[in-house]
Amino acid sequence: MPALTPDALRAAVERLTPSRMPAFVRDLVEATTSAQQVQSLAPLRTFVHTWGVFVAIQRHPSRAARLRCLEEVVDSGKEDPLEAMAGIREIHAAAEAEAGL
């Protein structure tokens, strides 16, 4: 797991999911701008948390694939989403623990 810094997370995103780089850069710019406007580090903390969890999930292809499947179940609305939502929470909790969040 990379350090929870914008530079380390950027390198991880570039390596793991290069297609997500535009979203990463957009979120970083928004967090930085917001932090300056409100004079608080909270937006940057949120950014690091969000992308730290993302990287922790993407580092494990099977975990990332399982998350996509569970999200599809929820998004489709074709079946009861409760079990899928519980699975999503478990994946996010494991990723947060792995990232030290």
Side-chain angles (χ1 to χ4, degrees):
M1 182 68 200
L4 295 177
T5 65
D7 287 340
L9 291 171
R10 177 191 304 264
V13 171
E14 283 177 338
R15 184 174 49 80
L16 295 167
T17 55
S19 66
R20 298 289 293 155
M21 279 307 298
F24 178 91
V25 171
R26 183 192 65 239
D27 288 357
L28 180 56
V29 169
E30 288 176 6
T32 303
T33 301
S34 181
Q36 290 170 341
Q37 290 173 345
V38 298
Q39 297 182 346
S40 169
L41 293 177
L44 291 170
R45 286 187 191 113
T46 299
F47 169 84
V48 166
H49 184 275
T50 299
W51 284 96
V53 169
F54 176 81
V55 167
I57 291 169
Q58 297 303 313
R59 289 178 66 229
H60 303 280
S62 61
R63 184 190 307 180
R66 177 74 178 136
L67 178 62
R68 283 190 300 275
C69 288
L70 293 170
E71 289 172 337
E72 287 175 15
V73 168
V74 172
D75 290 344
S76 74
K78 294 179 182 175
E79 53 188 281
D80 186 355
L82 291 179
E83 188 175 319
M85 291 168 56
I88 290 169
R89 281 192 297 274
E90 288 174 13
I91 289 170
H92 278 262
E96 286 177 339
E98 182 179 320
L101 296 167

